[in-house]
């Protein structure tokens, strides 16, 4: 898993498609969904950690873009 697209595909496997139109809100919802999947023991620790790291990095990038 290397991109946000990969995270979206992982979520899609479990029937979750997220699109609100606000990129940061979309990413935060993806993180919440991943947390639920992990707590339900449906995804591996490594997948969870990698996906959350990617999402948080992208959230930071998007927030920095908004500040400019």
């Amino acid at each position: 898993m290397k991109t946000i697209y990969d995270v979206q595909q992982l979520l899609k496997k479990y029937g979750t498609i997220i699109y609100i139109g606000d990129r940061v809100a979309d990413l935060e919802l993806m993180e919440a969904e991943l947390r639920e999947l992990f707590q339900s023991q449906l995804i591996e620790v490594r997948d969870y950690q990698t996906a959350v790291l990617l999402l948080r990095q992208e959230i930071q990038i998007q927030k920095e873009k908004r500040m400019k």
Side-chain angles (χ1 to χ4, degrees):
M1 192 174 325
K2 296 181 180 181
T3 65
I4 298 300
Y5 179 77
D6 296 334
V7 176
Q8 289 173 317
Q9 293 308 303
L10 175 65
L11 289 171
K12 191 173 167 183
K13 284 183 190 176
Y14 295 96
T16 303
I17 296 173
I18 296 174
Y19 180 75
I20 303 176
D22 176 359
R23 182 74 170 159
V24 174
D26 289 346
L27 296 167
E28 289 171 345
L29 276 174
M30 284 184 224
E31 185 176 341
E33 286 295 324
L34 283 167
R35 190 175 310 109
E36 289 293 322
L37 290 171
F38 178 68
Q39 289 172 348
S40 299
Q41 298 179 345
L42 294 171
I43 59 175
E44 299 292 324
V45 174
R46 186 135 176 104
D47 289 337
Y48 173 72
Q49 290 174 334
T50 304
V52 168
L53 179 64
L54 286 167
L55 289 171
R56 289 182 181 171
Q57 287 174 339
E58 184 65 20
I59 288 168
Q60 187 63 36
I61 290 168
Q62 294 300 318
K63 286 183 177 180
E64 287 173 5
K65 282 183 182 178
R66 286 184 180 180
M67 298 294 281
K68 292 181 181 179

